[in-house]
Amino acid sequence: MSETAFQAELKYQTAISIAKNLRSQGLLTEEEYGVIDTKLQAEFKPSLGTLLSENDLIN
């Protein structure tokens, strides 16, 4: 994995961790979380994050 890809993955994982925490506290709805996850994936293009995503990108 290149340094650029690693940094993108790290930034995505950090941001999605914050979003998951907010969702678990009831501060984000499932819909809001899905929107955030989709936007983060589009911005950072994580290689592993896409595989681990809870967001169904097929539908």
Side-chain angles (χ1 to χ4, degrees), residues 19-30 32-33 36:
K20 284 180 182 180
N21 191 320
L22 292 171
R23 182 185 63 180
S24 73
Q25 293 178 30
L27 299 173
L28 285 178
T29 66
E30 290 296 324
E32 291 168 329
Y33 175 81
I36 290 168

Side-chain angles (χ1 to χ4, degrees), residues 1 7 23 35 45 54:
M1 177 179 286
Q7 288 300 320
R23 182 185 63 180
V35 169
K45 298 173 182 55
E54 298 171 21

Side-chain angles (χ1 to χ4, degrees), residues 37-46:
D37 189 20
T38 300
K39 288 183 179 189
L40 289 173
Q41 287 187 41
E43 181 173 340
F44 296 116
K45 298 173 182 55

Side-chain angles (χ1 to χ4, degrees), residues 2 10 21 38 58:
S2 71
L10 182 63
N21 191 320
T38 300
I58 295 174

